[in-house]
Amino acid sequence: MTSVLYDVPGPRARRRNGILATATIVVVLAVVAFVGWRLALTGQFTAAKWEVFSYTTVWMSILEYAWGTLRAFLLAGVLSLALGFVLAVGRLSDHSWIRIPATVITEGFRAVPVLVMMMILYYGLPTLGIAMSPYWAVVLALMVYNGSVLAEALRAGVEAIPRGQKEAGYAIGLRKSGVMTLILLPQAVRAMLPVIIAQLVVTLKDTALGFIITYHELLYYVKLLASQAELGRPILQAAFVIGGIYIVMCLLLSWLANVVEKRSRRSPKRHDEEPDPAADDESTMTEAIAAQKSTGKF
Amino acid sequence: MDAIFGNLDLWREGITFTIAVFVFGGIIALVLGTIVGAMRVSPVPIARAVGWAYVNLVRNTPLTLVFFFFIFGYSALALPALSNTVLGTLAIGVYTATYVAETLRAGINTVPVGQAEAARAIGLPFGQVMSVVVLPQAFRSVVPPMMSVLIALLKNTTVAAGFSISVLPALQASISNSHTRPGSPMEVLLWVAAFFIAVVMLLTWLQRTLENRWRIAR
């Protein structure tokens, strides 16, 4: 396995790698053992602490609150995609009276932390006489933030398309809107699909901020369970179970990003691109992240 | 303006805490992230596996939940008490470290293998291959995305406000609860947003400058 950092290991390097492997195992085991020992000492593994998960009603509530998370995510995802398209097209406009406001909105929304936006919508707007439910505060805050991030990704995608595509569009007599909707945007979406899905993972994770403004989603339920004195306040146990649910949901979405990425790479329409020798699941993730980072946010 | 000048003490506290969480969280993230990033590209399979597990588990957990584990989990372990601020800083550092690790890995991946092969072919030893050929190129391509990671870290410090740490968004609650302090929640939050817009714009400008200066022609 030649990489840019290491050559194929010889006998000495193999011995050294063996030592490093042992050291890694020892350190990791030590950390796990320490935390496990403290957890056992404080009685976190006792059946009483986990008993709460043997009740059907608890699981029904988990489902209900998971739906709270999902419905905020779904609407926010759809709305932020829509906003992303509008802002991206706005920033690419030839008219400065469209381009400049779109640029200001995109840059401004990207710079405001999602939680601050949620708080503005939930605690701030009532000052002006507009009351908003936590659900809409979560959805709208996620929409404006992720929408502006997606707008940047789409714009980067459009700008990466070779000039000839646009010129050819004009040459066959399409108007500006036709060139954008029929030629540029479809290709940009295709190229940016992994980034778009990665941003949706971020949207899903950020719904967890909702509990701070009392939106009823999974983390809110963790806090609720932790306040149940008669169940022994199982906060760690609840956090473990709900954390697992989040990880599964996010990994499913990331997996979808991988599948999409692989499929678009295999497609005959992109055979002009040089195949990437390091192309496996791992590098796909990294590329998605790197591309996303170059747009500034995650 | 009353919302600022009537509450200068709170603003000073909020900005200090935000910057403290940002700086110390950033240091933890960079150090831990470098270690994990090195593990992920190391020739030792078990180290790669540990790095992979760390990055994928932590990155797919919402930051708010990471805060939960650190703030409520730590106190459940019955270890010497630490303040929420310290635990929150650790949480944000551990979370951001995954992004630092991935950025480093992506940066190293941008260096073509041919560069290292050419360096070895002209007889450079390992140390020089690294210090003269590979790492300078990796470093230059890593710094701009690393700035993005730090910008995200700065914005993520706001999450600490949900865990009774006096970072900027917590200002709104302190002001609304006191009745004698000037400023409506809307005013205070808009000023907080303005603060973030200003700082993030500054960092973005710095990032673009570095990106243009250090671009590698390949």
Side-chain angles (χ1 to χ4, degrees):
Chain A
M1 36 136 271
T2 315
S3 86
V4 70
L5 294 179
Y6 304 96
D7 218 334
V8 177
R12 264 207 304 171
R14 268 208 298 273
R15 202 156 49 234
R16 200 183 53 226
N17 289 352
I19 295 170
L20 281 174
T22 322
T24 311
I25 294 173
V26 168
V27 170
V28 170
L29 280 185
V31 171
V32 171
F34 178 76
V35 174
W37 169 61
R38 295 306 308 190
L39 286 175
L41 207 68
T42 49
Q44 303 295 337
F45 295 127
T46 53
K49 281 272 188 186
W50 292 91
E51 186 196 334
V52 58
F53 293 108
S54 64
Y55 298 119
T56 323
T57 46
V58 169
W59 282 103
M60 291 312 285
S61 307
I62 287 182
L63 275 183
E64 191 187 316
Y65 284 86
W67 172 238
T69 292
L70 277 180
R71 75 191 180 113
F73 161 67
L74 290 174
L75 187 58
V78 171
L79 289 179
S80 55
L81 277 170
L83 181 67
F85 274 105
V86 171
L87 286 177
V89 172
R91 285 198 75 170
L92 290 164
S93 167
D94 289 334
H95 308 289
S96 59
W97 59 273
I98 299 178
R99 192 175 59 236
I100 292 172
T103 309
V104 171
I105 291 173
T106 317
E107 294 291 336
F109 280 160
R110 256 165 24 120
V112 179
V114 184
L115 180 61
V116 173
M117 186 60 83
M118 277 184 199
M119 289 170 86
I120 287 177
L121 293 173
Y122 186 65
Y123 296 119
L125 281 184
T127 326
L128 307 178
I130 306 166
M132 190 174 271
S133 72
Y135 174 69
W136 283 102
V138 169
V139 167
L140 292 181
L142 288 175
M143 171 184 111
V144 296
Y145 178 78
N146 293 295
S148 51
V149 176
L150 286 173
E152 283 296 276
L154 286 171
R155 191 173 67 98
V158 168
E159 285 183 350
I161 295 168
R163 277 182 62 85
Q165 296 281 332
K166 191 174 168 184
E167 287 162 0
Y170 285 123
I172 58 169
L174 288 176
R175 287 154 198 266
K176 227 164 29 180
S177 59
V179 169
M180 186 57 84
T181 54
L182 296 175
I183 296 183
L184 296 180
L185 278 181
Q187 297 191 70
V189 170
R190 197 187 167 96
M192 283 294 155
L193 211 48
V195 179
I196 292 171
I197 298 180
Q199 192 58 36
L200 289 178
V201 176
V202 175
T203 312
L204 176 58
K205 281 192 331 177
D206 279 354
T207 56
L209 292 168
F211 98 97
I212 297 174
I213 59 162
T214 70
Y215 175 56
H216 288 209
E217 46 76 72
L218 280 170
L219 270 198
Y220 188 87
Y221 191 57
V222 174
K223 244 192 147 181
L224 205 68
L225 278 181
S227 64
Q228 308 284 310
E230 66 271 27
L231 294 169
R233 301 184 190 281
I235 184 149
L236 268 184
Q237 291 72 12
F240 272 123
V241 171
I242 305 276
I245 296 176
Y246 271 109
I247 291 175
V248 169
M249 289 195 297
C250 293
L251 281 178
L252 278 177
L253 260 181
S254 309
W255 168 80
L256 183 68
N258 267 337
V259 172
V260 169
E261 161 85 17
K262 272 199 181 141
R263 187 160 288 185
S264 64
R265 188 186 289 131
R266 208 167 44 207
S267 148
K269 285 186 188 142
R270 286 183 57 179
H271 67 86
D272 53 331
E273 271 182 30
E274 210 178 287
D276 182 1
D280 57 350
D281 301 6
E282 287 299 293
S283 68
T284 307
M285 289 284 281
T286 324
E287 276 158 24
I289 293 154
Q292 196 187 3
K293 268 176 192 151
S294 63
T295 68
K297 305 292 123 102
F298 50 86
Chain B
M1 279 303 180
D2 270 0
I4 292 190
F5 292 110
N7 305 304
L8 270 183
D9 50 334
L10 283 182
W11 279 93
R12 194 174 308 123
E13 187 190 49
I15 291 178
T16 315
F17 269 92
T18 297
I19 292 176
V21 173
F22 172 62
V23 170
F24 291 108
I27 293 172
I28 296 170
L30 287 175
V31 172
L32 188 61
T34 307
I35 296 172
V36 176
M39 285 168 84
R40 291 216 64 185
V41 295
S42 80
V44 185
I46 185 84
R48 281 205 301 273
V50 171
W52 178 89
Y54 176 78
V55 167
N56 279 291
L57 284 182
V58 175
R59 213 183 37 195
N60 285 309
T61 312
L63 175 60
T64 343
L65 194 63
V66 179
F67 264 94
F68 254 88
F69 276 117
F70 270 79
I71 288 181
F72 302 118
Y74 183 84
S75 49
L77 293 183
L79 291 167
L82 287 175
S83 73
N84 270 8
T85 312
V86 175
L87 291 170
T89 309
L90 281 172
I92 218 164
V94 164
Y95 176 80
T96 313
T98 59
Y99 291 94
V100 172
E102 289 302 272
T103 306
L104 285 176
R105 201 163 69 92
I108 290 169
N109 283 346
T110 61
V111 182
V113 181
Q115 294 275 332
E117 285 169 350
R120 282 195 282 267
I122 59 169
L124 294 184
F126 180 76
Q128 282 189 340
V129 174
M130 282 297 129
S131 61
V132 184
V133 178
V134 176
L135 291 182
Q137 297 188 53
F139 180 73
R140 285 165 71 127
S141 54
V142 152
V143 168
M146 202 60 91
M147 289 291 297
S148 301
V149 174
L150 292 180
I151 292 172
L153 170 63
L154 176 70
K155 289 191 293 177
N156 279 338
T157 57
T158 54
V159 178
F163 296 85
S164 49
I165 299 170
S166 308
V167 286
L168 276 175
L171 230 69
Q172 178 262 327
S174 332
I175 291 173
S176 316
N177 290 340
S178 78
H179 297 296
T180 54
R181 288 186 176 273
S184 69
M186 193 61 165
E187 279 175 80
V188 176
L189 287 169
L190 285 179
W191 280 114
V192 170
F195 169 86
F196 276 97
I197 291 178
V199 179
V200 170
M201 292 284 166
L202 190 74
L203 289 174
T204 313
W205 170 80
L206 185 67
Q207 180 190 12
R208 297 224 167 110
T209 312
L210 290 179
E211 204 169 329
N212 289 333
R213 186 169 300 173
W214 286 349
R215 184 170 293 145
I216 308 169
R218 280 205 183 104

